[in-house]
Amino acid sequence: MASTPRDRTGSLGEYRRRRDFQRTPEPTGGAPAGPGRGLAFCVQKHLASHLHYDVRLEWRGVLLSWAVPKGPSLDPRTRRLAMRVEDHPYDYGGFEGVIPEGYGAGIVLLWDRGTWTPDRPDVDDALARGELKFSLSGVKLKGSWVLVRTRRDERGWLLIKHADEWSSPEIDIAAVAPMSVTSGRDFAGILAAEDRDIWHSDRSAPAKGGTAGAMLREIIAEAARRRAGAPRPRRQRR
Ligand code: MN
């Protein structure tokens, strides 16, 4: 898609600068489908140096992106820290897989996706003011939400669910619905689907210490068990 003043695809420089596309399976950047469909949103559960959820909203040809360490909460009383990160290409919204090395190395699970609608049409103005109200129509996340910028930090926002028929103070949505919305897989399933051992040892794994490191070690072991028990991919057979 040609870059026009109305689109933001010129903002993908930072996304591209951080990646070596010879070494990562992530998209280089593709254009949205034609008009007449809703604006896309997705949430990607990303186990990298730390576990977080990347919330992405399509706007002017790219995905506005926030990294939410604890993931979305359906409880209106819970404010979840959401760090604004660089715009991602539109076609990143379909990505699920293993990033073997480099920036964001780890496993990406497509946790939810659907369409979003801003409450007011001028999204750029809402971003500039630091308060973006919108509704989601996903598989796991629905109804009314807001992203509010904190005063302390340009990149620091809060993701909050508004009280409505889709809010719930009890349901921990990340815990009750942990699997990929497209493949039905968990992290170990996504890793096991790779043809080869991406990380041969703990030392080569992207997360080493802390909670994420411990999680990743378990996932690597579980993926190896599943791979040993499952038939090899057909193309590798004689
Ligand atoms: Mn991420």
Side-chain angles (χ1 to χ4, degrees):
M1 187 170 71
S3 186
T4 70
R6 290 297 298 165
D7 77 39
R8 290 175 61 100
T9 49
S11 71
L12 294 177
E14 186 178 352
Y15 173 86
R16 296 202 173 104
R17 224 171 15 254
R18 288 174 182 271
R19 289 168 176 78
D20 176 353
F21 293 105
Q22 304 295 320
R23 289 164 182 258
T24 176
E26 295 166 289
T28 53
R37 59 191 178 87
L39 292 167
F41 96 92
C42 78
V43 180
Q44 281 150 326
K45 188 176 171 184
H46 185 186
L47 180 61
S49 54
H50 297 89
L51 178 68
H52 59 275
Y53 291 72
D54 290 302
V55 173
R56 308 192 196 278
L57 305 175
E58 177 192 355
W59 182 242
R60 293 192 180 187
V62 300
L63 300 176
L64 308 171
S65 297
W66 287 262
V68 184
K70 293 186 174 175
S73 168
L74 301 186
D75 183 350
R77 294 166 307 184
T78 303
R79 302 157 155 225
R80 286 283 156 89
L81 180 66
M83 295 303 289
R84 179 92 188 265
V85 296
E86 74 274 17
D87 291 351
H88 275 52
Y90 172 79
D91 54 354
Y92 205 92
F95 177 71
E96 174 171 284
V98 178
I99 304 170
E101 58 182 314
Y103 182 66
I107 310 171
V108 176
L109 179 155
L110 191 46
W111 186 76
D112 198 13
R113 73 169 168 181
T115 56
W116 77 287
T117 311
D119 282 14
R120 294 172 54 233
D122 195 342
V123 172
D124 294 302
D125 180 60
L127 290 171
R129 283 187 299 104
E131 188 182 66
L132 177 60
K133 293 179 179 173
F134 55 98
S135 61
L136 295 178
S137 179
V139 175
K140 300 174 188 178
L141 304 182
K142 297 174 191 289
S144 179
W145 296 76
V146 64
L147 275 159
V148 195
R149 193 166 54 219
T150 62
R151 286 196 189 149
R152 276 193 199 161
D153 176 357
E154 270 291 297
R155 310 203 102 185
W157 295 61
L158 299 168
L159 176 66
I160 307 164
K161 179 81 191 79
H162 286 141
D164 62 12
E165 60 184 310
W166 303 107
S167 61
S168 165
E170 289 97 25
I171 296 172
D172 180 352
I173 188 69
V176 299
M179 300 300 199
S180 164
V181 76
T182 47
S183 67
R185 287 174 171 150
D186 59 7
F187 279 135
I190 294 167
L191 185 57
E194 296 283 326
D195 283 352
R196 62 203 170 92
D197 274 322
I198 300 275
W199 301 304
H200 301 283
S201 65
D202 284 356
R203 206 168 290 174
S204 65
K208 293 164 188 76
T211 319
M215 235 183 118
L216 190 58
R217 274 194 297 283
E218 251 172 58
I219 288 162
I220 290 170
E222 174 60 20
R225 276 194 294 277
R226 290 191 204 173
R227 225 189 266 113
R232 302 295 297 170
R234 183 170 293 232
R235 64 180 174 277
Q236 292 199 344
R237 288 213 182 138
R238 296 254 146 184

